[in-house]
């Protein structure tokens, strides 16, 4: 689909423009064999409210960032390797339409397109890029993905104890393992989730107990040295200080972004949009999750 663009001047120019729009807040994106497949604005469900984000689909990565000045400046660049990406369709509801889940090992969230056609185009192109990349590398699709966070507005009380009511003073926290909204006492411990972070992260009491039991079973089957390292990680998880519940909630300059249709580059004559769209697993979401 995009092989003919690999060494083209147009592709080089497009990638250079993306780099310049991120400026010092981003990392260099131009590497040998990389192609910019498409770009456009999607609405990302953040923990507090939905926000417009600029997305760039390459043949090996998915990049998105906050819109500072439309088509001119972006910040808070996020890069997601396509080898880890999995898509799940979300059926329309009264308030939100044309959405799907983007899952990776470190971050998972919901996005919405402006129209059903744009949704199908995005999902089809991402699915095709992932499929081509896995076929060329010989790797298998990733099975374990990060939890999708339940939005703050979906939980007025702790989802664990069912008692604590959230207020301006009693803040919400998210379990990094299951994505539930919980109070401080119900998420007072941390656990090492290597796929998400090199340091222990906040988890709810239920997940902590389950993960701890699973860890003890695993360490009983390993060597003493490996067991010691796991025990040390378990001790670190008892420290609940310094927790960071921040996300990419950055604000954009001005008001709502003017919508432009996404652009996809390269030969799409062999891309069956409907077939690729239907290849994604249907997911009936009872809430609007985020990460």
């Amino acid at each position: 689909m995009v092989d003919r663009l690999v060494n083209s001047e147009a592709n080089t120019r497009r990638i250079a423009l993306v780099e310049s729009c991120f400026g010092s807040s981003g990392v260099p994106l131009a590497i040998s064999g990389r192609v910019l497949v498409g770009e456009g604005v999607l609405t990302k469900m953040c923990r507090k409210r939905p926000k417009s984000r600029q997305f760039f689909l390459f043949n090996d990565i998915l990049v998105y960032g906050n819109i500072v000045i439309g088509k001119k400046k972006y910040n808070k660049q996020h890069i997601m390797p396509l080898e880890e990406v999995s898509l799940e369709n979300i059926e329309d509801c009264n308030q939100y339409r044309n959405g799907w889940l983007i899952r990776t090992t470190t971050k998972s969230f919901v996005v919405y397109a402006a129209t059903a056609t744009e949704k199908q185009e995005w999902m089809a192109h991402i699915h095709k890029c992932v499929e081509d990349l896995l076929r060329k590398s010989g790797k298998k699709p990733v099975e374990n993905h990060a939890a999708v966070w339940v939005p703050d507005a979906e939980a007025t009380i702790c989802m664990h104890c069912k008692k604590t009511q959230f207020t301006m003073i009693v803040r919400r926290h998210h379990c990094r393992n299951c994505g539930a909204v919980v109070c401080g006492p119900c998420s007072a411990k941390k656990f090492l989730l290597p796929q998400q972070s090199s340091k222990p992260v906040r988890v709810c009491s239920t997940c902590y107990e389950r993960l701890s039991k699973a860890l003890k079973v695993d360490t009983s089957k390993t060597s003493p040295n490996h067991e010691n390292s796991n025990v040390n990680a378990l001790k670190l998880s008892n420290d609940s200080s310094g927790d960071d519940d921040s996300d990419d909630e950055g604000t954009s300059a001005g008001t709502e972004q003017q919508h432009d249709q996404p652009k996809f580059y390269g030969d799409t004559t062999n891309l069956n949009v409907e077939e690729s769209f239907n290849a994604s697993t249907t997911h009936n979401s009872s809430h609007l999750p985020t990460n």
Side-chain angles (χ1 to χ4, degrees), residues 42-53 55 64 90 93 95-102 107-113 148-154 174 247-249 285 287-291:
L42 294 172
T43 298
K44 178 179 178 290
M45 292 301 298
C46 299
R47 62 176 296 182
K48 296 186 182 298
R49 61 185 181 275
K51 285 182 172 288
S52 295
R53 296 289 184 253
F55 280 77
Y64 71 92
I90 295 180
C93 64
Q95 187 176 7
Y96 296 97
R97 305 177 66 84
N98 312 316
W100 69 97
L101 287 172
I102 297 179
K107 192 177 184 69
S108 301
F109 52 85
V110 176
V111 293
Y112 290 91
V148 181
W149 285 14
V150 177
D152 287 2
E154 293 293 313
H174 280 83
D247 61 6
D248 58 340
E249 283 286 337
S285 179
H287 59 262
L288 299 174
T290 183
N291 191 10

Side-chain angles (χ1 to χ4, degrees), residues 15-217:
I15 295 179
L17 181 60
V18 176
E19 290 180 332
S20 66
C21 287
F22 277 105
S24 60
S25 68
V27 299
L29 298 171
I31 65 172
S32 177
R34 177 168 289 167
V35 174
L36 178 59
V37 178
E39 59 181 291
V41 176
L42 294 172
T43 298
K44 178 179 178 290
M45 292 301 298
C46 299
R47 62 176 296 182
K48 296 186 182 298
R49 61 185 181 275
K51 285 182 172 288
S52 295
R53 296 289 184 253
Q54 182 73 29
F55 280 77
F56 299 94
L57 174 64
F58 295 83
N59 58 340
D60 62 333
I61 57 175
L62 181 64
V63 179
Y64 71 92
N66 294 7
I67 302 172
V68 180
I69 302 176
K71 298 182 180 180
K72 293 182 179 180
K73 185 177 181 181
Y74 314 114
N75 63 13
K76 295 192 176 181
Q77 184 186 77
H78 297 262
I79 299 178
M80 311 171 78
L82 285 184
E83 290 180 343
E84 301 177 0
V85 169
S86 173
L87 306 181
E88 291 184 22
N89 180 48
I90 295 180
E91 293 189 352
D92 294 343
C93 64
N94 293 334
Q95 187 176 7
Y96 296 97
R97 305 177 66 84
N98 312 316
W100 69 97
L101 287 172
I102 297 179
R103 296 183 180 273
T104 72
T105 57
T106 58
K107 192 177 184 69
S108 301
F109 52 85
V110 176
V111 293
Y112 290 91
T115 67
T117 298
E118 291 182 18
K119 170 185 175 177
Q120 291 187 3
E121 288 178 336
W122 271 108
M123 293 189 72
H125 281 86
I126 295 174
H127 178 80
K128 179 63 175 175
C129 288
V130 173
E131 187 180 62
D132 290 346
L133 190 62
L134 291 176
R135 185 181 68 251
K136 292 177 181 179
S137 66
K139 296 181 180 180
K140 295 182 179 180
V142 175
E143 296 181 355
N144 298 319
H145 299 99
V148 181
W149 285 14
V150 177
D152 287 2
E154 293 293 313
T156 57
I157 63 173
C158 176
M159 298 176 68
H160 186 268
C161 67
K162 311 293 184 183
K163 297 179 181 179
T164 302
Q165 187 170 4
F166 299 118
T167 65
M168 293 292 291
I169 299 176
V170 182
R171 62 176 299 196
R172 295 170 173 84
H173 299 279
H174 280 83
C175 173
R176 268 54 172 181
N177 189 63
C178 70
V181 181
V182 290
C183 63
C186 288
S187 59
K189 295 183 178 180
K190 294 184 178 183
F191 197 91
L192 183 63
L193 302 176
Q195 290 183 321
Q196 293 191 34
S197 175
S198 59
K199 298 180 180 180
V201 293
R202 181 185 290 265
V203 295
C204 67
S205 301
T206 300
C207 286
Y208 180 81
E209 292 177 5
R210 181 169 59 82
L211 292 168
S212 298
K213 290 180 180 179
L215 179 60
K216 290 179 181 178
V217 172

